[in-house]
Amino acid sequence: MDMFDDTALALTKFGVGQPVPRMEDPTLLRGLGRYTDDQNVPGQAYAVMVRSKLAHGILKGIDSKAVSAMPGVLAILTYADLESAGFGPMKCGMNIPQRDGSPMKTPPRHSLAKDRVRYVGEAVACVVAETAVQAKDAAEAVELDIEELPAVTTPAQALANGAPQIHAEAPGNLALDFHYGDAEAVKKAFAEAAHVTRLEISSNRIVVNPMEPRSAIGSYENERWVLRVGCQGVMGLRGGLAKDVLKTTNDKVRVLTGNVGGSFGMKSQVYPEYGPLLLAAKRLGRAVKWTDERSESFLSDHHGRDHQRVAELALDKDGHFLAVRLSGTGNAGAYIYPPMPATTNAVKNIIDVYRTPAMEVNSKVVFTNTTPLAAYRGAGRPEGNYYMERLIDTAAREMGIDRIELRRRNHIAPSQMPYKAPSGMNYDSGEFTAVLDKALVAADWHGFDNRKAESAARNKLRGRGIGSYLEVTGPPSKEYGGIRFEDDGSITMLSGTLDYGQGHATPFAQVLGAKLGIPVTRFRLLQGDSDQLKVGGGTGGSKSALVASQAFLEAGDILIEQGKKIAAHVLEAAAVDIEFAHGRFTIAGTDRGVSILDLADRIRKGLKLPPDVPQSLDVSHISDNPPFSFPNGCHVAEVEIDRDTGVVEVVRYFMVNDFGTVINPMLVAGQAHGGVVQGIGQAIFERTVYDEQGQPVTGSYMDYALPRASDAPSFSIENHSVPCKTNLLGVKGCGEAGCAGALPSVMNAVVDALSGAGVTHIDMPVTPEKIWRILNNA
């Protein structure tokens, strides 16, 4: 088959560990991708959402009578329509107990506001028309009667006495009073400490801003609900739609996802627009399409981060860590979504790579009149590392200990693995001191003074920062590993993960190709059709390579066993005498054999097989997800600050990462680069601001600064691979590590640069105005 490269060279050139280019890039770079807004269903109508322009108020009425007569208008849906159709609220909340053991507060969120609006941008009605322009004109003509109420936008405001009540179910606007750790052991450690470092530190709110805005097409086909949508996993989205919103069974719902242009955690949830689209489609008997506009997405897409912390580190006289404690708040916005700010992921990640006998996390998760918070690249993991690394730099300065020595002194040693951290996590592997030392060499740490002097000659302040990190990947769950031989000779891999920019097809093919001795050019990947999958955990938490490789390796073993039985029939031998190696089944001790691809071709052409022999090489396998893995590394950043303007520039950046077995170093580097740039964005540029009435001030790119290509330095990346011991391939995950290393390394470098002005801490983002004021006040 000329369309495939089945040579032996192809097997080695494209095997595990090789920098194989992404399979999908030629398609995407030529503009041939199929994102949701690229898709159209014959006869479709168009929807536009009517959103609240007030942050808080009682919804007294919706006047749409005149709108119904406007050109092209087909339907106007409100909460009453959803209620009459039997639709339920979306799932909001997590099964995390309060400090006293009682359930957390999880007020319902309806797809369209019922009797109150709680943030600017909340969907109140859905207008459907023949064209998108007609729908937009009609939506703008809908009049909302809202009695405005006072709004709160920060946890401090929301927790204050007399603050406006956002949900009746959550008195005092408190969703969760969270506690983890041994409070008495921590209290004792701090009481006996020779030194305590304390920082008030925050993680600023982020607008996620994926390249592709959200879009969806709802239809009702053959008595089934069908949603075409960009998401992070079709099985999870189908389950949420069916169980919570549509109140039906999974078999009555189909979710289809094509290419997805970024998500970073944001597109993982069931959103308010999906229910009205599906109901309108059923009522009208035609598909209904909705696409977000960028300014609308600033309001409607879930935001990220937004934590306020007091971080404390207790040390003995020699600088050994005794305990770490986090206390503070997380801004949930108007509704609760996983993973919730400043709770479980803070627990899992605050220990970082250091021996710390005791820990405690106290968080109050608070409702405010702002866009809801959900996952954003790392979802609390980068913050945990950021808090610890800032504490270490501060403690080193306060105690007069070199910051590198303080880190080395407290590293968990390889000989201590497996290491049971007070977070409850069991680290299986890692060489943290070796990673740190390798990063320092790469960054030419000892040559910094010369570079600092050269910067000073140009009226620039120069600083350097270290950001070590250890992440805990996403929680274990079941994953699908399907293998299907197609009529054209290709092989389809089926996975419940979902690629929204990572490039899954290539590394998955590298893993399965190496297992089966089949070149990667034979493989195709299917993830985006819930009808063709059995389970799926989606993509998130830096775990796709881990869970998919495990599922495909197990599926490969099943395929080989099936193939031995089929090959035994073809070769007229006993199955126990069949061996498999390098893509070929052979009779032991002979050169008689048949390849997997030849066997598949014979089956395709009608090979008659006995009933007691597998009838196909196809495999449908559900894998029990392996335990957590612990990617880690050390990043070193250098920044320059213009004394006159306060502009901060990252001028050098070096990273050494331990991602375990690296399947494809080219893709790993790309993931690391992207994560670092997003970390730089949060550290220097990005800031979400609300005014006193709850109106977003940073509602467009005119007011919200994203990093540009010119703001990114040249990156140096090295892999220090220590294979993970808890999964078959030894992978650890890499998708969110860039953020985890960037936040502390860049911010430690900024503080280092400003130390001559007496600065010991500064919060993100370090905007030119903030720096300029500091320098001028100094």
Side-chain angles (χ1 to χ4, degrees), residues 310-445:
V310 174
E312 300 169 284
L313 181 65
L315 307 92
D316 69 15
K317 62 182 179 61
D318 297 316
H320 296 116
F321 300 169
L322 302 176
V324 63
R325 181 165 56 201
L326 291 179
S327 305
T329 58
N331 189 340
Y335 300 94
I336 286 287
Y337 283 93
M340 289 198 308
T343 55
T344 53
N345 278 345
V347 169
K348 294 174 186 176
N349 293 272
I350 183 63
I351 295 300
D352 203 343
V353 296
Y354 306 105
R355 293 186 307 274
T356 312
M359 66 170 291
E360 184 179 10
V361 175
N362 299 283
S363 289
K364 292 186 176 181
V365 180
V366 184
F367 290 113
T368 65
N369 296 116
T370 61
T371 297
L373 264 287
Y376 172 69
R377 201 165 192 164
R381 294 189 288 277
E383 294 95 312
N385 291 288
Y386 171 55
Y387 301 146
M388 179 60 92
E389 293 295 309
R390 283 294 301 122
L391 281 169
I392 293 171
D393 260 29
T394 304
R397 175 184 51 80
E398 292 173 347
M399 296 184 73
I401 302 174
D402 179 79
R403 52 187 150 174
I404 297 171
E405 173 56 29
L406 188 58
R407 287 174 167 85
R408 287 185 179 136
R409 197 173 294 179
N410 289 282
H411 274 157
I412 301 163
S415 61
Q416 295 176 294
M417 299 294 179
Y419 179 79
K420 179 67 179 264
S423 60
M425 297 292 102
N426 290 291
Y427 300 178
D428 67 282
S429 58
E431 298 175 355
F432 308 136
T433 301
V435 167
L436 169 64
D437 291 344
K438 188 177 286 188
L440 296 175
V441 171
D444 184 25
W445 186 262

Side-chain angles (χ1 to χ4, degrees), residues 17-54:
Q18 297 300 312
V20 183
R22 303 195 321 172
M23 294 180 181
E24 66 270 31
D25 281 352
T27 298
L28 299 181
L29 292 172
R30 290 181 298 190
L32 301 178
R34 294 285 291 167
Y35 299 88
T36 306
D37 192 53
D38 295 322
Q39 303 175 42
N40 294 289
V41 177
Q44 71 188 18
Y46 295 84
V48 170
M49 300 297 150
V50 180
R51 301 188 183 276
S52 173
K53 297 180 181 179
L54 298 176

Side-chain angles (χ1 to χ4, degrees), residues 77-93:
L77 276 65
T78 65
Y79 167 77
D81 296 286
L82 299 175
E83 183 183 40
S84 66
F87 281 28
M90 296 166 287
K91 181 181 179 180
C92 287

Side-chain angles (χ1 to χ4, degrees), residues 265-289:
M266 183 270 290
K267 294 177 183 174
S268 60
Q269 307 295 333
V270 175
Y271 271 87
E273 296 84 6
Y274 306 158
L277 290 178
L278 290 167
L279 179 57
K282 183 179 182 181
R283 287 189 174 182
L284 296 173
R286 57 198 288 193
V288 180
K289 181 177 185 177

